[in-house]
Amino acid sequence: MSNVYQANIVKKHASLPARVMQMETPHGMVTTPAFMPVGTRAMLNYLTPADLQQSGSDIILGGNTYHMLCAPGMEIIEAAGGMHTFMGWHQAMLTDSGGFQVLSLSKNSKICTINEEGARFKHPITGKIIHLNSHTSIQAQKIIGADIIMAFDQCTPETGGREAALAALDRTHRWLMLSKEEHEKNPNSVYGHRQALFGIIQGGSFRDLREQSTEFILQQDLDGIAIGGEVIGFDMKKTEEIIDWIRPMLPENKVRYTMGVGLNPQDLLDVVAKGIDIFDCVAPTRNARHGTLYYGEIVEKDGWLAFESRGEQGRILIKKSQYAKDNQPIMPHCDCYTCLHFSRAYLHYLFKQGLIAYFHLASIHNIHVMQSVCKRMRELILR
């Protein structure tokens, strides 16, 4: 295992901001554009590490800080030798700081309250109070041992208007300074490998706040740059607009990460065309579990790619009775394990019966489609 993190541009697209980068991490090389499947609770729902490798994943988002503090707890992760060993994933891993959970859980003040010091959570089962702040978040991420860790931030809600966006921005910047200070005491995980620290640009849907936040994050000279906030990935038009506002300010040599992008295969194509390198989303596996399977064709168009929709918005709903006798694979030309071996009729039957095999096979397909989109983007840029 190497003990470095570094990122280099391999090649830029001839006419778009899209590029291919190589990130060297202590757990292997990652070539971007790269989609990170999400294993919030130290596992990817219904997928094994072997399934992920077969899909072409070489980096995942593993072990969310908030959830890991709740269960299994840091003592157990540390006793296992870190998250990589604990969950049997030995390639690159990014973890997040718990900032998004602060946003979602603080909507109920009985569960979570936020102040300048950070967030106080009530453990969902034991009722024990958990303090999550810049210090405890970075300490937990050192024990998780991910290759890339995130500064503790306050995710900007879309509902609070400018005042809420400004408050979250100021707090995120203060917490970033404290996160950086904590990280710099020892930039390694407790297992001795170097961890890269990314800062998160906030500012909601306000151009001047996004620019102000970008400037502040860049001044800290961190390893990489994330773009956060509730709007990112949720509203793709706004997401693209925000990237356009701040891209002229971003250094070429640092990895750019849009948090929570990947509801649809087309979303990956859209942000990479704007100059983004990595992204994560729970949607592909969540969609799979609820019977929504990606279906379309990756085609070249005007020097870039599009995920051309077949069916309803690039997906099929496998529960529909029209698939009961349909002996085609989910998606023609897809070479995932599921499409090579099983028919829509079989998946329809499994889904209707609520059988666990369905969740496994459906998740394999949806993650594979996301990784196929990334592979095609890399090939096109390198060509």
Side-chain angles (χ1 to χ4, degrees):
M1 185 164 79
S2 75
N3 194 27
V4 293
Y5 167 86
Q6 57 185 42
N8 302 297
I9 294 179
V10 178
K11 192 157 191 265
K12 293 183 194 171
H13 187 280
S15 57
L16 294 168
R19 71 259 187 95
V20 168
M21 292 191 89
Q22 280 198 322
M23 280 196 293
E24 191 181 345
T25 81
H27 288 86
M29 188 70 80
V30 177
T31 307
T32 75
F35 175 74
M36 300 183 286
V38 180
T40 307
R41 296 171 186 268
M43 49 81 75
L44 263 104
N45 286 335
Y46 301 104
L47 292 175
T48 66
D51 295 326
L52 290 169
Q53 283 172 313
Q54 213 169 1
S55 75
S57 305
D58 48 16
I59 181 170
I60 63 167
L61 193 159
N64 167 275
T65 298
Y66 163 74
H67 288 294
M68 294 301 95
L69 283 165
C70 290
M74 289 302 138
E75 306 81 3
I76 288 170
I77 293 168
E78 192 164 3
M83 188 62 69
H84 288 90
T85 314
F86 188 53
M87 65 185 284
W89 172 259
H90 300 291
Q91 289 171 260
M93 185 188 295
L94 175 148
T95 190
D96 55 3
S97 66
F100 185 77
Q101 280 67 32
V102 171
L103 168 73
S104 53
L105 294 173
S106 64
K107 290 171 183 174
N108 180 346
S109 59
K110 286 181 185 157
I111 301 174
C112 170
T113 55
I114 310 173
N115 61 24
E116 192 44 49
E117 301 306 308
R120 283 163 59 91
F121 294 101
K122 213 175 200 171
H123 190 289
I125 297 159
T126 65
K128 183 183 148 199
I129 298 296
I130 295 172
H131 294 272
L132 193 54
N133 55 38
S134 304
H135 172 78
T136 59
S137 173
I138 295 293
Q139 283 300 327
Q141 291 180 80
K142 298 273 167 208
I143 293 168
I144 287 168
D147 302 277
I148 299 170
I149 65 176
M150 306 304 295
F152 188 55
D153 68 319
Q154 185 171 349
C155 183
T156 311
E158 267 311 280
T159 48
R162 189 181 171 84
E163 204 174 315
L166 188 56
L169 177 89
D170 287 342
R171 194 169 268 171
T172 292
H173 292 174
R174 286 195 293 274
W175 287 353
L176 168 62
M177 299 302 287
L178 295 169
S179 297
K180 187 185 174 195
E181 197 180 301
E182 188 62 37
H183 174 63
E184 284 178 344
K185 288 178 189 170
N186 181 0
N188 294 345
S189 73
V190 300
Y191 318 102
H193 61 268
R194 167 86 163 81
Q195 292 179 297
L197 177 67
F198 282 28
I200 303 170
I201 295 167
Q202 293 290 352
S205 298
F206 302 95
R207 181 170 185 159
D208 61 324
L209 297 187
R210 284 287 180 180
E211 289 172 342
Q212 188 185 321
S213 188
T214 304
E215 203 171 300
F216 184 88
I217 301 291
L218 294 180
Q219 282 167 4
Q220 310 317 313
D221 194 26
L222 302 158
D223 297 300
I225 295 141
I227 307 169
E230 200 172 24
V231 71
I232 301 296
F234 174 70
D235 177 342
M236 282 307 298
K237 272 205 159 25
K238 199 74 203 176
T239 299
E240 289 180 64
E241 194 182 351
I242 289 166
I243 298 166
D244 282 339
W245 293 342
I246 64 173
R247 188 181 57 247
M249 303 170 71
L250 298 177
E252 288 283 306
N253 63 336
K254 295 203 174 171
V255 169
R256 304 160 181 173
Y257 164 30
T258 42
M259 306 177 84
V261 165
L263 176 61
N264 301 301
Q266 183 63 44
D267 297 350
L268 308 189
L269 296 164
D270 292 341
V271 295
V272 172
K274 301 280 184 191
I276 298 300
D277 307 303
I278 61 174
F279 15 78
D280 75 281
C281 195
V282 296
T285 47
R286 181 184 284 166
N287 281 340
R289 294 197 299 279
H290 291 110
T292 300
L293 304 173
Y294 295 138
Y295 174 51
E297 197 179 349
I298 309 162
V299 296
E300 276 193 48
K301 231 179 187 173
D302 308 324
W304 191 232
L305 299 163
F307 190 75
E308 287 217 327
S309 220
R310 308 277 169 85
E312 299 151 35
Q313 299 176 304
R315 46 184 67 182
I316 63 173
L317 302 176
I318 201 68
K319 69 180 180 187
K320 291 190 169 179
S321 57
Q322 72 199 67
Y323 301 117
K325 294 179 182 173
D326 187 337
N327 290 315
Q328 299 178 77
I330 301 165
M331 194 167 125
H333 316 304
C334 178
D335 60 355
C336 79
Y337 175 81
T338 305
C339 285
L340 291 176
H341 294 90
F342 303 101
S343 67
R344 294 171 180 179
Y346 183 60
L347 288 158
H348 171 83
Y349 153 73
L350 292 176
F351 182 80
K352 293 301 260 186
Q353 296 299 315
L355 296 169
I356 282 178
Y358 166 77
F359 301 113
H360 182 215
L361 295 173
S363 298
I364 285 174
H365 171 75
N366 277 4
I367 292 292
H368 183 91
V369 171
M370 296 310 243
Q371 299 301 6
S372 299
V373 167
C374 291
K375 186 179 175 204
R376 286 290 297 277
M377 289 192 280
R378 293 192 293 267
E379 287 169 355
L380 185 136
I381 297 164
L382 291 171
R383 191 179 72 209

